[in-house]
Amino acid sequence: MTFSHFIKSFDELTNHEMYAMLRLRSEVFVVEQNCPYQDLDNKDQKGFHLLYYVDNELAGVTRLLPKGISYEEISIGRVVIAQTHRGLGLGVKLMEASIKGCEEKFGKGAIRISAQYHLSKFYQSLGFVEQGKVYDEDGIPHIGMLRA
């Protein structure tokens, strides 16, 4: 298996990359998790998108946003791995690349995420710390997490 990733601004994404990214987000968040929500929130245009490939097939994506868009801190969101590529340890690789991407694009600083609560231990292994109480986001328990 070969692994590769690219970080692109909204304007740098090709039509095919954009379509594949939005399709993957919809497949997982809307269909698999049965969570109808407004994915297109006008934040995609303000950040960068990490596209993670396995053997030239899109396997995962994240959205990297500068301070002041979603939170006071830099943020990583829309973290998703295709169902066909789970169990390969891609979550760690995807998040490590995303953290590094945030540092390259926005400088070193705190990174905030809104994590699905059942994944909080995974994010803790990457240096994120739970912040506040569990809350409902689109019918799924979430918790705020911060990596200083």
Side-chain angles (χ1 to χ4, degrees):
M1 275 191 270
T2 58
F3 303 96
S4 60
H5 71 273
F6 304 94
I7 298 175
K8 295 185 174 188
S9 70
F10 182 83
D11 291 334
E12 293 171 325
L13 293 169
T14 68
N15 292 338
H16 293 280
E17 290 168 334
M18 175 73 73
Y19 181 87
M21 177 185 74
L22 294 174
R23 179 182 169 148
L24 178 56
R25 286 176 11 185
S26 180
E27 283 174 358
V28 174
F29 296 135
V30 178
V31 178
E32 180 186 330
Q33 295 181 350
N34 192 29
C35 181
Y37 78 109
Q38 185 62 44
D39 182 33
L40 303 178
D41 58 4
N42 291 315
K43 294 180 184 178
D44 286 315
Q45 302 94 311
K46 299 170 184 167
F48 291 87
H49 302 274
L50 189 144
L51 301 122
Y52 202 98
Y53 294 87
V54 176
D55 295 332
N56 297 316
E57 183 179 346
L58 185 63
V61 299
T62 62
R63 178 170 75 180
L64 316 178
L65 294 175
K67 296 176 181 181
I69 303 299
S70 285
Y71 305 104
E72 291 179 19
E73 303 88 359
I74 296 163
S75 65
I76 299 172
R78 300 297 198 260
V79 178
V80 63
I81 294 177
Q83 192 172 19
T84 54
H85 289 86
R86 293 187 198 144
L88 303 174
L90 293 183
V92 171
K93 293 176 193 240
L94 181 68
M95 284 303 296
E96 286 176 344
S98 297
I99 292 164
K100 185 177 178 186
C102 283
E103 291 173 352
E104 290 172 358
K105 297 298 183 186
F106 312 124
K108 289 192 182 257
I111 300 172
R112 183 168 295 278
I113 62 172
S114 175
Q116 291 186 5
Y117 184 66
H118 73 279
L119 295 171
S120 67
K121 295 260 187 275
F122 165 74
Y123 289 113
Q124 287 175 26
S125 74
L126 295 161
F128 289 88
V129 177
E130 291 182 359
Q131 302 275 298
K133 296 181 180 182
V134 176
Y135 55 91
D136 180 275
E137 186 174 310
D138 301 314
I140 298 172
H142 280 69
I143 190 157
M145 300 188 81
L146 187 70
R147 185 177 192 273

